[in-house]
Short mmCIF file of all heavy atoms in Angstrom, two decimals:
data_model
loop_
_atom_site.label_atom_id
_atom_site.label_comp_id
_atom_site.label_asym_id
_atom_site.label_seq_id
_atom_site.Cartn_x
_atom_site.Cartn_y
_atom_site.Cartn_z
N ILE A 1431 0.66 2.09 -0.97
CA ILE A 1431 1.45 3.31 -1.11
C ILE A 1431 0.67 4.46 -0.50
O ILE A 1431 -0.45 4.74 -0.90
CB ILE A 1431 1.76 3.60 -2.59
CG1 ILE A 1431 2.63 2.51 -3.15
CG2 ILE A 1431 2.42 4.95 -2.73
CD1 ILE A 1431 2.98 2.70 -4.60
N ILE A 1440 10.06 10.39 -3.87
CA ILE A 1440 10.37 11.67 -4.50
C ILE A 1440 11.71 12.20 -4.00
O ILE A 1440 12.52 12.71 -4.78
CB ILE A 1440 9.23 12.69 -4.25
CG1 ILE A 1440 8.00 12.29 -5.05
CG2 ILE A 1440 9.67 14.09 -4.60
CD1 ILE A 1440 6.77 13.11 -4.76
N VAL A 1443 14.49 10.03 -5.65
CA VAL A 1443 14.63 10.35 -7.08
C VAL A 1443 15.23 11.74 -7.26
O VAL A 1443 16.09 11.94 -8.15
CB VAL A 1443 13.25 10.24 -7.77
CG1 VAL A 1443 13.30 10.81 -9.18
CG2 VAL A 1443 12.81 8.79 -7.81
N PHE A 1447 18.65 12.41 -9.23
CA PHE A 1447 18.64 13.38 -10.33
C PHE A 1447 19.65 14.48 -10.09
O PHE A 1447 20.36 14.91 -11.00
CB PHE A 1447 17.22 13.95 -10.49
CG PHE A 1447 17.11 14.97 -11.58
CD1 PHE A 1447 17.14 14.58 -12.92
CD2 PHE A 1447 17.01 16.32 -11.29
CE1 PHE A 1447 17.04 15.52 -13.93
CE2 PHE A 1447 16.93 17.27 -12.28
CZ PHE A 1447 16.93 16.87 -13.61
N GLN A 1449 22.38 14.29 -8.36
CA GLN A 1449 23.72 13.72 -8.57
C GLN A 1449 24.06 13.67 -10.05
O GLN A 1449 25.16 14.06 -10.47
CB GLN A 1449 23.78 12.29 -7.99
CG GLN A 1449 23.75 12.21 -6.51
CD GLN A 1449 25.06 12.59 -5.89
OE1 GLN A 1449 26.11 12.53 -6.51
NE2 GLN A 1449 25.02 12.98 -4.64
N ARG A 1459 31.70 21.80 -17.53
CA ARG A 1459 32.30 23.01 -16.96
C ARG A 1459 31.29 24.14 -16.78
O ARG A 1459 31.60 25.30 -16.96
CB ARG A 1459 33.48 23.49 -17.79
CG ARG A 1459 34.52 22.46 -18.14
CD ARG A 1459 35.45 22.19 -17.05
NE ARG A 1459 36.28 23.37 -16.77
CZ ARG A 1459 37.08 23.46 -15.75
NH1 ARG A 1459 37.14 22.50 -14.88
NH2 ARG A 1459 37.79 24.54 -15.55
N ALA A 1468 29.41 20.62 -3.34
CA ALA A 1468 28.29 20.93 -2.44
C ALA A 1468 26.99 20.30 -2.93
O ALA A 1468 26.26 19.68 -2.14
CB ALA A 1468 28.14 22.45 -2.32
N GLY A 1496 -1.38 18.74 0.31
CA GLY A 1496 -0.29 19.39 1.02
C GLY A 1496 1.06 18.81 0.61
O GLY A 1496 2.05 19.53 0.49
N LEU A 1528 38.83 37.50 -17.23
CA LEU A 1528 39.09 38.94 -17.33
C LEU A 1528 40.34 39.33 -16.54
O LEU A 1528 41.10 40.19 -16.99
CB LEU A 1528 37.89 39.73 -16.83
CG LEU A 1528 36.69 39.76 -17.78
CD1 LEU A 1528 35.51 40.45 -17.09
CD2 LEU A 1528 37.02 40.45 -19.07
N ALA A 1529 40.55 38.72 -15.40
CA ALA A 1529 41.74 39.02 -14.62
C ALA A 1529 43.01 38.62 -15.39
O ALA A 1529 44.00 39.35 -15.38
CB ALA A 1529 41.70 38.29 -13.27
N GLN A 1537 50.96 43.86 -18.71
CA GLN A 1537 52.32 43.47 -19.10
C GLN A 1537 52.68 44.07 -20.46
O GLN A 1537 53.77 44.62 -20.65
CB GLN A 1537 52.43 41.94 -19.14
CG GLN A 1537 53.80 41.42 -19.46
CD GLN A 1537 53.83 39.92 -19.48
OE1 GLN A 1537 52.81 39.25 -19.40
NE2 GLN A 1537 55.03 39.36 -19.60
N THR A 1550 62.20 57.84 -26.64
CA THR A 1550 62.28 59.25 -26.23
C THR A 1550 63.71 59.62 -25.84
O THR A 1550 64.20 60.69 -26.22
CB THR A 1550 61.33 59.49 -25.03
OG1 THR A 1550 60.02 59.08 -25.39
CG2 THR A 1550 61.32 60.94 -24.63
N MET A 1551 64.37 58.73 -25.14
CA MET A 1551 65.76 59.00 -24.75
C MET A 1551 66.66 59.07 -25.98
O MET A 1551 67.55 59.91 -26.07
CB MET A 1551 66.25 57.94 -23.77
CG MET A 1551 65.60 58.05 -22.40
SD MET A 1551 66.16 56.81 -21.26
CE MET A 1551 67.85 57.33 -21.01
N ALA A 1552 66.44 58.21 -26.96
CA ALA A 1552 67.24 58.22 -28.18
C ALA A 1552 67.02 59.51 -28.95
O ALA A 1552 67.97 60.12 -29.49
CB ALA A 1552 66.90 57.01 -29.05
N GLU A 1553 65.76 59.98 -29.03
CA GLU A 1553 65.47 61.24 -29.71
C GLU A 1553 66.11 62.42 -29.00
O GLU A 1553 66.62 63.35 -29.64
CB GLU A 1553 63.96 61.44 -29.84
CG GLU A 1553 63.31 60.54 -30.85
CD GLU A 1553 61.80 60.73 -30.91
OE1 GLU A 1553 61.27 61.66 -30.23
OE2 GLU A 1553 61.14 59.98 -31.63
N GLU A 1554 66.09 62.41 -27.67
CA GLU A 1554 66.74 63.48 -26.91
C GLU A 1554 68.25 63.50 -27.17
O GLU A 1554 68.84 64.59 -27.35
CB GLU A 1554 66.48 63.30 -25.40
CG GLU A 1554 65.14 63.77 -24.95
CD GLU A 1554 64.98 63.61 -23.45
OE1 GLU A 1554 66.01 63.65 -22.72
OE2 GLU A 1554 63.84 63.45 -23.01
N GLU A 1563 76.58 69.74 -31.72
CA GLU A 1563 77.44 69.32 -32.85
C GLU A 1563 78.84 68.97 -32.34
O GLU A 1563 79.88 69.35 -32.88
CB GLU A 1563 77.53 70.42 -33.90
CG GLU A 1563 76.23 70.61 -34.61
CD GLU A 1563 76.39 71.51 -35.79
OE1 GLU A 1563 77.49 71.65 -36.30
OE2 GLU A 1563 75.37 72.06 -36.21
#
Side-chain angles (χ1 to χ4, degrees):
I1431 295 179
I1440 289 173
V1443 170
F1447 179 74
Q1449 290 283 339
R1459 309 281 293 171
L1528 286 173
Q1537 184 179 8
T1550 304
M1551 290 179 69
E1553 287 178 6
E1554 280 182 28
E1563 292 190 22

